[in-house]
Amino acid sequence: MPLGYIAKRLFHLLLIMFGVSVLVFLMLRMIPGDPARLLLGEFASPEELVRLRSQMGLNQPYVVQYGIYLKNILHGDLGNSLRNGAPVASEIGVRLPATLELAVAAMLIASVLGIAAGVVSAARQYSVFDYGSMFMALVGVSMPIFWLGLMLIYLLSVMFPIMPMMGRIGMGSEPDVVTGLMLVDTLLSGEFGDFLDALHHLVLPSFTLSTIPMAIIARITRSAMLEVLNKDYVRTARAKGMSEAVVILRHALRNAFLPIVTVLGLNLGLLLGGAVLTETIFSWPGLGRYVVDSLMARDYAAVQGCILIFAALMAVINLMVDLVYGLLDPRIRVHA
Amino acid sequence: MRKPIACVFLILCLLPALSFGADAPVTGGTLIWGRGGDSVSLDLAQATDGESIKAGIQVLENLVIFGKDSMNVEPQLAESWKVSDDGRTWTFKLRRGVKFHDGYPFNAQAVYDSFARVVFKEHPYNSYGQWKYPSLSLGPVKDIKVVDDYTIALITDKPYAPLLNNLALWLCPILSPKAMADYKDKIGQHPVGTGPFKFVSWTKDDQIVLERNKDYWGEKAKVNKIILKSIPEPSARLMALQSGTVDIADDLDPDSIALVKKNQKIAIIERPSVNVGYLAFNTEKPRLKDPKVRQALSHAVDKDTLIKSIFAGLAIPAKNPFPPSIWSYNDAIKAYDYNPEKAKKLLTEAKFDFNTEIELWAMPVSRAYMPEPVKTAELIQAYFAAVGVKAKIVRHEWGAYLSKTQNGEHDMCMLGWLGGNADPDNFLYGLLSADTAKTPGAANVAIWKNAEFTDLCLKGQKTFNKADRTKIYLKAQEIFHAEAPWLPLVHSTIVRCYSKKLHDVPLRPNGLNSFQMVWKEK
Amino acid sequence: MHSWETFSDLLRNRSAVAGMVLIALVLLVAVAGPGLAPYDPLKPAPLERLQGSSERHWFGTDSLGRDIFSRVIYGTRISILIGLISVSISLVPGTFLGLMAGYFGGRIDSLIMRLMDMLLAFPAILLAIFITAILEPNLTNTMIAVGIVYIPHYARIVRSSVLSLKEQLFVQAIAHLGGSHARILARHILPNAMPPIIVYATLGMGTAVLQAAALGFLGLGAQPPQPEWGAMLSEGRQYIQIAPHVAAFPGAAILVLVLGFNLFGDGLRDALDPSLRMV
């Protein structure tokens, strides 16, 4: 079953990616502003502009431009950045690991703290802890994360300077790039001090990014747990004299994983969006900042490449979530 | 009694030693340079942005260069030069025994390839780059002749006095012909020149690493390594400087600089710049056609308060199109003083329409000449409101802003200019002559077409005698003042903030320097 | 009456009441704005810039010396407007598309939903940035952009309600009796699909305010000198070391308003449609 299903989903994915590529292509060209003009700035003459535009291939009809673009993509080439001529694929390749590291760390924090808060809240429904953590969860989704980031910087980097306010690692101790993931690379280089330093740099940005998913996970975990805790088999387990802790951990939590996994998947978009803001505030050299900078510079090729990568990432993760869903709960049949 | 004496003796001995220790350059160490963004291309013939230029000029050299702290032209890879009597042939004698970083020898052929690729379409390297400002750099050069291995001649199609200053700009670097042939269109990512620093590596959006050129032809660089680190947030750059994570922090906002001034560990150098930030009145719009209206608006803005607040004191008020650091500045001109009453009176006399909103275009990006464009616009808006003029702030994305203003679509717009070659012609002819007021693509965004002023500019270009040129430009500035096509706002001060561990840090009025002589305390 | 029950349910729900109080507070400030604000929110006083909290300026002054307290007060109107207008912009077309897709199914359904999937493939903030960039950045276009971004969410919710309603007996009965499509949709399906829409719209007001603030923060939203909270906060970023109050207060204002919408939306969900709790 899953193979046919996966094939069908992958086909859908391709269809959507095609649509997205057309959409991005058109939207970019609807934005006022000419990349050549932006590159040359206030000191350029009209002749220089015309020449640069033709060098960039911007004077060709859209259909031709898109055709070239599509042909390149099919050959695995995302084109060259209009700003510096470097291949977009390699530009993305350098930055993607930074964003992934940030996002994964944020998701980890969000899951661990969120699930813990949700489980305890459910176990002690209507307690002070329950009300407190659910209120905090609501505050978490109501806060502009860029504001939270700034306030954390002010508190922990300016007022009590215990946290670095920017970057991925102390300057001068960058490890050789192997995976692009700072934590992994520092470990591979055998410099444990640098590893701790990278971890130290990761704390504030990933915590900032984690708040919204954490809040959502806490709420979902709580309601999923409550529902399960009232089910017959849990009551039976309790009646059999199992300790409450065992009941919660063994039966309830396992079943509550389903909705949690769904949320993890659904919030990836949120996380990528949040990364745009978080990376801006913490000077994190990731893809979120890159795509916004590229958009501001009308670097068509770079933006197209990034959005395609984003869309593909989201589609793949959603597919994986669905599959995990099926594995976790065989009762759920995937409707192909 | 011996001990105290010994101590005093020791201290007396040490004092000069200590101060000597601070003065004698030390070789070695890594200089970390925090800046606002990444470079685009280190092939400077293709670069337009400050971040590319400040990194590139550490690696690449020109025939001639501006002085360490001034804008006077001095020899670099050329030892001497002369101009023919008709003013059209410039002959340069080149320095001997210079090698590129890849070991390839520097000679006239290298100069030829570096220039010809920009100027001649048929040159094999022409298609390898996007030559950004050929008209500004080698524009009038029509022919390049290799006279012998160490002599090269540039021939222009008309006498063109500013050429020498143009060659001193970043735009005319000499690169290794071998590297240009090998790297082709990737040369901007792997620059190979003759400079005091060699290019090592480049991590996008993060850092560029340069290292000392041990075989440099001149005095060798002091620091072993320069790391140019991109830190986009100004507040983060400030903190990095304060904590000692970086040795230099570029482009701090005026308020941060005021804060840094109180820090004992940080040194600051300030230089009058060669820029101007201005508000251009579109003289073709009916409501701004009358010079009286433009003079009135010039009286309405309090530049001193603007500078004291938004520029945190880091600028001087402008009254002419170019700053006093450039020769032929007309200081006899009396600036329009801040006088709201007079402004109102003049506006009423000119029958200005107070009821309709007038558009005030604010730049969307900050520049050295205008570090806080939007706030400046908001303040000007308030000043105009005080004399009864309702201004509406309009913002466009930078590219659109430039196209639209050069198309004359605005009522008033903010803009500025950095006179890279320190020649008055660059400001007067380039920004205010009738020739450059033709839309679209008008660099003269006041669309101001004054025949007398334009004639003076053209005459200035053909005059090689500096005293005569000065007279011409003094007169031109008088016309500019009376007609008020711009409200000249400020000439900002260029600032470099760095750790006191660094010594011999240079700063040119255009903010671009080689860091060859900079050294760092251990 | 059904709605009366809902209303009294709401009043018993602490979360809803807290939310209502917060929203009422902000509305009050918005209405009474000019009376409350001690200073002109737009008039610069350049020589009094970046002052901290004091008796004269409760929230301090910004980089042009304007009173931040007054600006925050005037900003309430802008933010409430953003919430209302953006949500309407996503609600109306979203509901329509959802109804069409769910009711007619087949080709129409897949066409509409594929289109929605495409929009959903973008992270929301990026799509909003795109749209504002295309339309030129200003406050109106911010609302439009944020509105468009959330159309697919409403379409999806409405579609799934319609799908389940369509199966229900009474709708099928009416269809057999020869009711027109328009009539069935307007009289029978839409009213029954309303509760989740209302809940989502309330929560959506908060999201819209946050997204608009993010655009303002990136410099793509309200234009100066408008006292929009996100734009004010954005200025504060630059002064985080020397004048943290510039960022702190507008951000806190955003938090209060969005928290109000979220609390109220939560309460509303419990009262209107307990089955939605899991979403």
Side-chain angles (χ1 to χ4, degrees):
Chain A
M1 180 276 305
L3 268 184
Y5 173 72
I6 292 172
K8 183 158 185 188
R9 283 287 298 259
L10 283 177
F11 175 70
H12 257 172
L13 194 151
L14 279 181
L15 214 65
I16 288 189
M17 299 279 290
F18 175 73
V20 167
S21 78
V22 177
L23 201 63
V24 175
F25 182 89
L26 286 177
M27 285 204 300
L28 274 170
R29 278 146 186 90
M30 279 158 71
I31 300 178
D34 163 3
R37 175 91 254 184
L38 276 169
L39 262 181
L40 290 176
E42 62 265 58
F43 309 111
S45 71
E47 305 83 64
E48 281 153 10
L49 262 175
V50 170
R51 212 157 50 130
L52 186 58
R53 284 183 60 83
S54 84
Q55 274 185 356
M56 287 172 150
L58 295 174
N59 53 350
Q60 302 189 36
Y62 286 171
V63 184
V64 177
Q65 286 186 41
Y66 183 77
I68 295 172
Y69 175 58
L70 197 65
K71 199 184 103 203
N72 286 340
I73 293 184
L74 294 179
H75 288 90
D77 177 6
L78 290 176
N80 292 334
S81 155
L82 294 187
R83 268 177 300 173
N84 60 13
V88 170
S90 73
E91 297 270 304
I92 292 177
V94 191
R95 293 168 177 96
L96 187 62
T99 298
L100 282 182
E101 191 166 59
L102 181 63
V104 169
M107 219 53 213
L108 216 65
I109 297 176
S111 310
V112 170
L113 295 184
I115 290 176
V119 168
V120 176
S121 290
R124 305 216 178 120
Q125 201 184 2
Y126 305 128
S127 68
V128 178
F129 182 90
D130 183 21
Y131 281 122
S133 58
M134 285 309 112
F135 181 72
M136 283 315 291
L138 216 53
V139 170
V141 290
S142 306
M143 222 171 357
I145 66 165
F146 43 96
W147 181 70
L148 174 69
L150 280 177
M151 293 298 114
L152 286 175
I153 287 179
Y154 178 67
L155 265 177
L156 300 175
S157 303
V158 179
M159 224 157 73
F160 308 105
I162 50 173
M163 286 290 174
M165 71 183 283
M166 43 153 258
R168 300 177 68 189
I169 195 164
M171 273 167 219
S173 42
E174 295 85 354
D176 295 336
V177 178
V178 184
T179 59
L181 301 168
M182 204 52 92
L183 292 178
V184 178
D185 286 355
T186 45
L187 277 184
L188 287 179
S189 74
E191 301 282 343
F192 192 65
D194 289 349
F195 171 76
L196 290 180
D197 188 34
L199 205 59
H200 193 199
H201 278 78
L202 188 58
V203 175
L204 280 192
S206 57
F207 178 76
T208 304
L209 186 55
S210 77
T211 46
I212 291 182
M214 190 196 300
I216 297 175
I217 290 173
R219 288 164 55 118
I220 300 278
T221 309
R222 177 178 176 272
S223 54
M225 285 288 292
L226 283 177
E227 193 166 306
V228 176
L229 282 175
N230 292 326
K231 289 250 164 75
D232 284 347
Y233 61 91
V234 177
R235 291 206 188 122
T236 317
R238 277 197 188 121
K240 278 201 266 176
M242 267 176 152
S243 82
E244 191 67 20
V246 174
V247 171
I248 286 175
L249 286 181
R250 190 187 288 170
H251 289 282
L253 194 56
R254 211 176 85 194
N255 285 295
F257 259 117
L258 285 174
I260 296 170
V261 169
T262 320
V263 174
L264 289 179
L266 285 178
N267 286 311
L268 188 88
L270 212 64
L271 216 57
L272 284 178
V276 171
L277 297 164
T278 314
E279 288 175 5
T280 304
I281 289 171
F282 289 96
S283 307
W284 194 265
L287 214 50
R289 223 178 76 202
Y290 179 66
V291 66
V292 174
D293 288 349
S294 304
L295 188 58
M296 297 302 169
R298 307 291 182 265
D299 191 337
Y300 296 160
V303 177
Q304 284 163 177
C306 288
I307 302 269
L308 276 187
I309 297 283
F310 276 155
L313 261 178
M314 275 166 67
V316 167
I317 300 252
N318 279 338
L319 178 60
M320 271 160 54
V321 165
D322 284 358
L323 293 177
V324 171
Y325 216 85
L327 287 180
L328 274 178
D329 188 351
R331 284 170 305 173
I332 296 176
R333 287 277 162 252
V334 211
H335 300 286
Chain B
M1 291 308 276
R2 275 189 66 185
K3 265 189 181 168
I5 292 172
C7 281
V8 171
F9 183 68
L10 202 69
I11 288 167
L12 282 176
C13 288
L14 275 176
L15 265 178
L18 275 176
S19 56
F20 185 70
D23 287 337
V26 182
T27 307
T30 299
L31 187 159
I32 303 181
W33 186 352
R35 57 186 187 143
D38 202 359
S39 302
V40 175
S41 168
L42 296 184
D43 174 3
L44 295 184
Q46 306 190 44
T48 57
D49 60 306
E51 299 306 340
S52 295
I53 300 163
K54 67 172 72 153
I57 55 175
Q58 312 300 330
V59 177
L60 308 178
E61 291 182 314
N62 299 345
L63 290 183
V64 292
I65 192 75
F66 294 114
K68 200 175 109 193
D69 294 305
S70 73
M71 299 300 282
N72 298 325
V73 175
E74 295 173 3
Q76 195 167 38
L77 289 174
E79 284 180 319
S80 64
W81 56 88
K82 60 173 195 281
V83 199
S84 65
D85 292 337
D86 65 355
R88 289 184 51 220
T89 305
W90 298 72
T91 311
F92 294 86
K93 289 272 173 209
L94 304 182
R95 195 174 291 281
R96 286 158 195 263
V98 177
K99 275 194 161 49
F100 287 101
H101 299 150
D102 57 4
Y104 198 86
F106 165 77
N107 54 28
Q109 187 60 38
V111 179
Y112 179 86
D113 283 336
S114 299
F115 288 174
R117 64 181 183 146
V118 177
V119 183
F120 306 134
K121 277 225 151 55
E122 60 282 2
H123 191 273
Y125 306 160
N126 181 267
S127 59
Y128 293 161
Q130 300 173 342
W131 318 108
K132 300 290 161 52
Y133 296 134
S135 65
L136 189 68
S137 53
L138 297 161
V141 171
K142 284 289 148 332
D143 198 9
I144 305 173
K145 279 203 185 108
V146 176
V147 180
D148 61 46
D149 260 7
Y150 293 97
T151 313
I152 191 139
L154 305 181
I155 294 117
T156 58
D157 59 352
K158 58 175 182 187
Y160 186 69
L163 182 67
L164 189 68
N165 279 34
N166 287 356
L167 288 175
L169 285 176
W170 72 88
L171 284 163
C172 309
I174 313 299
L175 285 92
S176 155
K178 183 174 179 296
M180 285 190 283
D182 287 354
Y183 290 118
K184 299 190 169 69
D185 57 340
K186 304 280 185 298
I187 183 76
Q189 318 294 314
H190 307 271
V192 179
T194 55
F197 291 95
K198 283 197 262 193
F199 171 80
V200 179
S201 69
W202 186 348
T203 317
K204 286 291 158 58
D205 268 0
D206 187 15
Q207 61 181 25
I208 290 179
V209 180
L210 310 176
E211 115 195 318
R212 184 166 181 260
N213 175 9
K214 291 191 194 76
D215 305 315
Y216 186 58
W217 56 268
E219 191 171 343
K220 292 177 185 52
K222 298 289 178 290
V223 293
N224 276 344
K225 249 190 189 178
I226 296 182
I227 299 179
L228 293 111
K229 191 92 189 167
S230 304
I231 309 174
E233 259 312 290
S235 53
R237 274 198 308 280
L238 170 66
M239 293 212 64
L241 178 65
Q242 287 168 327
S243 65
T245 333
V246 300
D247 300 308
I248 299 179
D250 284 352
D251 299 322
L252 297 178
D253 54 282
D255 290 294
S256 301
I257 293 170
L259 189 72
V260 161
K261 281 185 176 166
K262 296 180 198 141
N263 191 320
Q264 297 294 316
K265 286 189 217 147
I266 299 173
I268 294 187
I269 0 177
E270 296 179 14
R271 285 264 181 288
S273 65
V274 283
N275 65 29
V276 61
Y278 59 86
L279 179 72
F281 302 116
N282 185 342
T283 58
E284 298 219 314
K285 294 276 165 149
R287 295 165 75 198
L288 294 167
K289 216 169 187 129
D290 187 347
K292 211 173 223 174
V293 171
R294 307 196 295 257
Q295 290 161 0
L297 294 173
S298 306
H299 278 299
V301 175
D302 180 0
K303 294 176 202 168
D304 291 325
T305 303
L306 171 71
I307 290 171
K308 208 162 153 193
S309 56
I310 292 173
F311 285 80
L314 291 168
I316 54 169
K319 60 180 179 183
N320 289 328
F322 56 84
S325 55
I326 293 182
W327 56 274
S328 81
Y329 180 78
N330 192 339
D331 212 11
I333 281 171
K334 194 174 164 291
Y336 293 102
D337 58 326
Y338 174 52
N339 190 340
E341 289 314 312
K342 193 169 176 187
K344 268 188 229 169
K345 204 174 128 251
L346 284 171
L347 284 169
T348 320
E349 280 172 25
K351 302 202 174 58
F352 185 80
D353 168 17
F354 287 100
N355 295 318
T356 322
E357 273 190 336
I358 192 156
E359 288 187 353
L360 166 59
W361 288 31
M363 300 158 52
V365 295
S366 80
R367 285 289 189 263
Y369 54 72
M370 195 66 70
E372 302 280 4
V374 177
K375 283 170 200 161
T376 307
E378 286 180 79
L379 203 54
I380 293 174
Q381 181 188 42
Y383 280 127
F384 284 173
V387 298
V389 175
K390 284 185 211 145
K392 177 185 167 212
I393 294 179
V394 175
R395 285 208 294 182
H396 289 288
E397 155 287 321
W398 186 221
Y401 185 89
L402 291 172
S403 308
K404 284 169 186 281
T405 51
Q406 299 193 350
N407 208 12
E409 294 175 28
H410 57 289
D411 291 334
M412 305 183 266
C413 72
M414 290 162 61
L415 218 59
W417 189 258
L418 173 71
N421 67 0
D423 196 295
D425 173 71
N426 202 252
F427 290 84
L428 298 177
Y429 177 78
L431 302 178
L432 288 158
S433 70
D435 294 359
T436 53
K438 290 174 198 129
T439 55
N444 176 351
V445 289
I447 325 289
W448 182 56
K449 295 166 184 162
N450 184 300
E452 194 189 353
F453 182 92
T454 308
D455 285 346
L456 285 170
C457 292
L458 291 173
K459 213 168 125 196
Q461 284 185 346
K462 285 180 225 133
T463 311
F464 276 69
N465 180 309
K466 200 162 174 179
D468 295 342
R469 273 185 93 191
T470 304
K471 267 185 225 145
I472 293 168
Y473 290 144
L474 288 177
K475 177 76 185 124
Q477 288 169 76
E478 279 169 27
I479 299 170
F480 167 83
H481 180 74
E483 288 280 314
W486 294 356
L487 165 50
L489 292 168
V490 295
H491 307 297
S492 73
T493 306
I494 302 269
V495 178
R496 179 158 279 154
C497 301
Y498 58 96
S499 149
K500 284 198 174 150
K501 278 188 180 163
L502 293 188
H503 297 269
D504 294 341
V505 176
L507 182 59
R508 274 197 199 109
N510 67 4
L512 300 170
N513 285 87
S514 160
F515 276 15
Q516 181 187 356
M517 305 310 288
V518 177
W519 56 278
K520 187 176 176 179
E521 277 173 41
K522 290 270 148 66
Chain C
M1 279 281 300
H2 179 69
S3 56
W4 269 116
E5 264 169 50
T6 314
F7 190 65
S8 61
D9 272 0
L10 261 184
L11 285 184
R12 259 179 277 122
N13 183 305
R14 275 184 249 190
S15 160
V17 172
M20 275 191 268
V21 170
L22 283 182
I23 296 171
L25 195 82
V26 177
L27 276 175
L28 197 75
V29 171
V31 173
L36 288 173
Y39 294 88
D40 181 342
L42 300 183
K43 194 164 181 234
L47 298 177
E48 289 177 38
R49 60 202 299 263
L50 300 177
Q51 289 176 0
S53 300
S54 67
E55 258 174 52
R56 288 185 55 211
H57 300 287
W58 289 1
F59 290 179
T61 59
D62 70 2
S63 66
L64 285 171
R66 295 173 297 209
D67 182 51
I68 294 180
F69 182 62
S70 306
R71 286 176 70 74
V72 168
I73 286 176
Y74 274 86
T76 48
R77 294 180 175 194
I78 297 180
S79 288
I80 289 176
L81 218 62
I82 289 174
L84 285 174
I85 295 182
S86 321
V87 166
S88 320
I89 292 174
S90 24
L91 185 72
V92 176
T95 307
F96 177 76
L97 290 172
L99 282 177
M100 293 298 117
Y103 186 79
F104 292 107
R107 286 251 177 94
I108 296 178
D109 183 25
S110 31
L111 182 73
I112 293 177
M113 291 329 280
R114 284 301 86 74
L115 205 70
M116 297 294 110
D117 282 348
M118 256 187 251
L119 291 180
L120 284 171
F122 293 82
I125 182 79
L126 269 183
L127 188 57
I129 291 174
F130 255 103
I131 298 170
T132 25
I134 292 173
L135 300 175
E136 297 242 320
N138 61 39
L139 196 56
T140 320
N141 290 338
T142 300
M143 300 185 210
I144 296 176
V146 174
I148 295 178
V149 167
Y150 288 99
I151 289 178
H153 294 240
Y154 290 88
R156 277 193 164 182
I157 291 173
V158 172
R159 176 177 174 270
S160 70
S161 322
V162 173
L163 283 182
S164 68
L165 285 169
K166 216 167 69 169
E167 301 304 312
Q168 280 173 22
L169 276 176
F170 79 98
V171 175
Q172 291 188 346
I174 296 165
H176 277 296
L177 289 174
S180 76
H181 290 315
R183 194 181 156 84
I184 294 173
L185 276 170
R187 295 287 294 274
H188 301 284
I189 292 194
L190 187 58
N192 284 296
M194 277 319 272
I197 301 180
I198 293 173
V199 172
Y200 201 84
T202 313
L203 295 169
M205 301 264 274
T207 317
V209 170
L210 281 179
Q211 287 287 1
L215 287 176
F217 181 72
L218 292 170
L220 291 165
Q223 295 299 296
Q226 278 175 318
E228 194 268 322
W229 293 341
M232 291 168 68
L233 214 171
S234 163
E235 171 186 278
R237 173 162 60 142
Q238 183 180 335
Y239 303 112
I240 194 70
Q241 237 193 101
I242 45 179
H245 66 269
V246 179
F249 292 109
I254 297 174
L255 173 59
V256 169
L257 179 60
V258 177
L259 188 62
F261 284 131
N262 281 344
L263 281 167
F264 184 63
D266 258 17
L268 207 59
R269 165 160 58 197
D270 293 351
L272 278 180
D273 191 352
S275 69
L276 276 171
R277 271 185 196 191
M278 291 286 295
V279 181

